[in-house]
Amino acid sequence: MDLIPTVDLTAPDPARIDRALQSAGFLLVTGHGIDPSLPAAIRETARAFFHLAAPAKQPYAVKVGGRGWLGPGAEANGYAEGTETPPDLKESLSFAAEHPTGDAAVDAEWFAPNTWPAEVPDLRPLLDDYLAGMKALSDRLLDLLAVALGRPEDFFTRHTGHPTWGFNINWYPGTDTVGAPQPGQFRIGPHTDFGTVTVLDRQHGKGGLQIFTDRHGWQDAPYDPAALTVNIGDLMARWTDGRWKSGRHRVLPPPADAPAEELLSLVYFYECDPGTDVRGIDSHSYLRAQLDAITAD
């Protein structure tokens, strides 16, 4: 799929990046420096948590935007674009930025402590390493995007001195856990992300990621086990005055011919410093409104 090129970060082509982000809002990225053994270990550890009985997970239950366990029925991403879908067929462990800024009101909303399930004590040190790598990679990507846009390299990263970010470990179980999908129900409903860039480490599956473009409609996302999938979000699209598209996507429900398929995705959502003005809107007022919008009733 030529609209979603593979970009080697050791020798990137800014013009090619610019063309791809105008059409689909997605890239595959190699040369990213993330040791593949780290996401593999995170998946193994997180899977042990997700396979616990519901009562063991319930003490960690939160709503969208919280830090903890998003259980079945907690989220419906299609709501963000006005699509009334049934709740998404997934569970998540959610984490976010937690190092305080010193502003009590900002810290209470955006930099609260994370919750670490006692049942999987190995998860925290793994994520400490992984999330540090994601932060560095996201800033590296933003510097590259600024050059692709014809701006100074720090055009975006001058606003990521103390940014917010979110991170989900998404568990997509089979129908033996979630039941048969309802009409119009997805593992994640159609939506665009809300921030600047999203960095996804995914597993290939029949009930996997699809990407929407005006030219091709919905198509299965290209997959390369050595690559990370990167898409831009709504804040980045606005920051570029609409030159780049916020990447619209969804995750298919468990497939009828592989109903037991189980996938785990690691999704890092990068944003910017609280209070950043992005072409006339307050970045974090927008983010809060969108998080509230995808909270299932």
Side-chain angles (χ1 to χ4, degrees):
M1 192 162 159
D2 293 338
L3 293 175
I4 305 173
T6 297
V7 175
D8 182 352
L9 292 184
T10 65
D13 179 348
R16 191 174 183 221
I17 292 168
D18 177 45
R19 289 193 299 272
L21 296 183
Q22 288 183 60
S23 56
F26 273 85
L27 304 168
L28 289 176
V29 171
T30 59
H32 46 71
I34 303 297
D35 183 345
S37 68
L38 187 52
I42 292 170
R43 282 190 173 88
E44 181 179 358
T45 305
R47 185 176 289 108
F49 176 83
F50 288 120
H51 280 231
L52 294 171
K57 294 182 280 190
Q58 189 59 41
Y60 305 105
V62 294
K63 293 185 176 181
V64 175
R67 293 153 166 82
W69 176 60
L70 292 174
E75 192 171 287
N77 275 271
Y79 287 10
E81 61 176 37
T83 304
E84 291 294 327
T85 65
D88 295 338
L89 294 168
K90 71 174 184 70
E91 296 179 20
S92 298
L93 276 171
S94 291
F95 305 89
E98 63 178 353
H99 297 295
T101 65
D103 183 318
V106 169
D107 292 343
E109 182 172 10
W110 296 103
F111 295 92
N114 282 307
T115 298
W116 300 97
E119 291 81 358
V120 285
D122 292 341
L123 186 60
R124 184 170 187 170
L126 291 170
L127 287 191
D128 284 345
D129 287 346
Y130 187 76
L131 293 172
M134 286 292 106
K135 167 67 167 68
L137 175 59
S138 296
D139 278 333
R140 186 178 172 193
L141 288 166
L142 289 185
D143 285 344
L144 176 58
L145 294 188
V147 173
L149 195 62
R151 300 286 189 165
E153 188 177 69
D154 71 342
F155 182 72
F156 300 119
T157 51
R158 70 184 66 163
H159 301 288
T160 62
H162 203 136
T164 58
W165 51 263
F167 176 69
N168 279 2
I169 305 174
N170 287 342
W171 180 50
Y172 307 122
T175 56
D176 55 335
T177 298
V178 299
Q182 301 175 42
Q185 192 171 30
F186 295 87
R187 282 172 160 161
I188 294 184
H191 69 288
T192 57
D193 292 338
F194 312 141
T196 56
V197 291
T198 300
V199 183
L200 167 66
D201 185 299
R202 57 182 287 240
Q203 292 181 304
H204 188 54
K206 291 185 174 182
L209 179 68
Q210 288 196 323
I211 291 171
F212 182 88
T213 62
D214 293 337
R215 179 180 173 187
H216 297 286
W218 288 108
Q219 290 196 345
D220 292 342
Y223 178 74
D224 177 351
L228 295 171
T229 301
V230 173
N231 64 278
I232 66 168
D234 299 342
L235 288 181
M236 179 59 70
R238 184 178 182 89
W239 225 328
T240 66
D241 292 321
R243 178 179 181 87
W244 293 344
K245 288 181 176 288
S246 186
R248 189 171 181 236
H249 54 287
R250 66 187 183 186
V251 181
L252 293 174
D257 59 346
E261 179 183 78
E262 176 188 21
L263 302 174
L264 274 163
S265 286
L266 313 182
V267 196
Y268 185 82
F269 305 98
Y270 202 45
E271 294 153 4
C272 52
D273 298 335
T276 300
D277 181 286
V278 179
R279 295 292 189 268
I281 67 166
D282 178 87
S283 57
H284 285 68
S285 295
Y286 176 78
L287 291 169
R288 177 55 61 197
Q290 294 302 92
L291 290 170
D292 289 345
I294 65 173
T295 302
D297 296 331

